[in-house]
Amino acid sequence: MLSTRVITCLDVHNGRTVKGVNFVNLIDAGDPVEQAKLYSNLGADEICFLDISATNEKRRVMFNVISKTAESCFVPLTVGGGVNDIKDFKDLLSCGADKVSINSSAVYNPDLIQLSSDKFGNQCVVLAIDAIENFKMKSGYEVTTHGGRKKTNLDALDWAIKGEKYGAGEILLTSMSADGTKSGYNLKLTRLISENVSIPVIASGGAGSPKDMVEVILKSGASAVLAASIFHFGIHSISSVKKEMFKNGIHVRDCGF
């Protein structure tokens, strides 16, 4: 049986980990290199490094910081932000990333999903979907890019299905309205996507407690849970999340409890 993964997210801006609500009002949350090392030692199953300002600033991701981050942790590292072409994929994998997350670039150039999947394998390709409620959409959710700043008129469910067809190996699904609120994941959105694709779905946006993480797995079919605020600010630990999962019959990788 595959273990349900607990993923810590490092939203990085100007070389520092930050966290806000709905991707704004950012608060400094520490050094990403040190945090990656800490979370790796504390039992995180994976670490996700997102350069949240790279796309808006029209620059490439910070390869030097990513290289140092990869050296400091001993669990799989997913990197995203400012990835525009196949060369960015190659460079990120070369400097230590295990997977590459693409969002805006995939929307505007869907062929990038297939090109990267064909060249590096779909296990390296994570399609990030930042969704907002829009009842004009068939599914009720619309895909956004540039950290939620730009609407796309793409239906979130249609895009998830197409992303899998193009070769994405995993979907990182973020509810933009829930992000940073610590009020719980968007169960409806997560269930909608999970039930209609066969690749793993990582639930993101809104984690406030271990019970939220249990709920999104048992009620919405998520394959993994991602959180930032509750770990960065010491509200809950990775161990406490895994204990709650284990107590509820969810298979997790042991982290010493």
Side-chain angles (χ1 to χ4, degrees):
M1 179 185 294
L2 292 175
S3 298
T4 298
R5 292 165 292 153
V6 178
I7 303 172
T8 56
C9 185
L10 307 177
D11 292 324
V12 179
H13 175 66
N14 291 333
R16 297 285 293 178
T17 303
V18 296
K19 193 57 195 169
V21 177
N22 309 137
F23 283 34
V24 296
N25 299 323
L26 302 178
I27 300 171
D28 187 280
D31 176 71
V33 177
E34 291 301 316
Q35 285 184 316
K37 182 178 180 180
L38 175 65
Y39 290 139
S40 176
N41 292 333
L42 289 176
D45 297 305
E46 295 182 17
I47 292 170
C48 188
F49 180 115
L50 301 179
D51 188 338
I52 62 172
S53 51
T55 297
N56 286 311
E57 294 174 2
K58 298 180 180 179
R59 61 170 171 78
R60 299 182 83 198
V61 73
M62 297 174 289
F63 290 97
N64 60 328
V65 180
I66 290 164
S67 181
K68 291 178 182 177
T69 302
E71 290 173 2
S72 71
C73 68
F74 304 96
V75 297
L77 176 67
T78 299
V79 178
V83 181
N84 294 307
D85 52 39
I86 203 74
K87 184 179 185 303
D88 289 335
F89 254 89
K90 180 181 177 181
D91 290 346
L92 285 170
L93 294 172
S94 295
C95 74
D98 298 281
K99 306 176 189 179
V100 177
S101 172
I102 49 177
N103 183 344
S104 302
S105 58
V107 169
Y108 301 118
N109 179 21
D111 288 342
L112 179 60
I113 304 173
Q114 186 166 358
L115 285 169
S116 54
S117 180
D118 288 347
K119 187 170 182 63
F120 303 110
N122 75 334
Q123 78 282 353
C124 294
V125 183
V126 179
L127 177 62
I129 299 177
D130 295 341
I132 59 169
E133 287 188 355
N134 183 343
F135 297 111
K136 294 181 180 179
M137 296 285 126
K138 181 175 63 176
S139 70
Y141 294 94
E142 180 180 1
V143 176
T144 66
T145 63
H146 296 78
R149 293 175 176 85
K150 293 188 178 182
K151 296 182 179 181
T152 63
N153 202 35
L154 272 179
D155 183 89
L157 177 57
D158 287 348
W159 179 230
I161 293 170
K162 287 178 181 177
E164 178 181 14
K165 183 179 179 181
Y166 290 149
E170 195 164 36
I171 290 173
L172 172 55
L173 180 66
T174 302
S175 169
M176 295 301 292
S177 61
D179 180 76
T181 64
K182 297 188 285 293
S183 59
Y185 295 95
N186 186 325
L187 302 181
K188 180 181 177 183
L189 171 64
T190 308
R191 183 169 56 250
L192 175 72
I193 303 301
S194 297
E195 289 180 347
N196 286 282
V197 298
S198 58
I199 56 178
V201 173
I202 303 167
S204 170
S209 71
K211 289 184 178 180
D212 290 335
M213 295 173 159
V214 167
E215 190 175 46
V216 77
I217 295 161
L218 296 182
K219 293 185 178 181
S220 297
S223 300
V225 289
L226 179 146
S229 300
I230 63 170
F231 297 141
H232 297 339
F233 303 122
I235 300 169
H236 293 285
S237 67
I238 296 166
S239 179
S240 68
V241 169
K242 290 193 172 185
K243 283 180 181 178
E244 187 69 20
M245 287 182 173
F246 183 77
K247 188 171 75 174
N248 283 272
I250 298 168
H251 191 262
V252 294
R253 184 174 65 86
D254 186 273
C255 61
F257 58 80

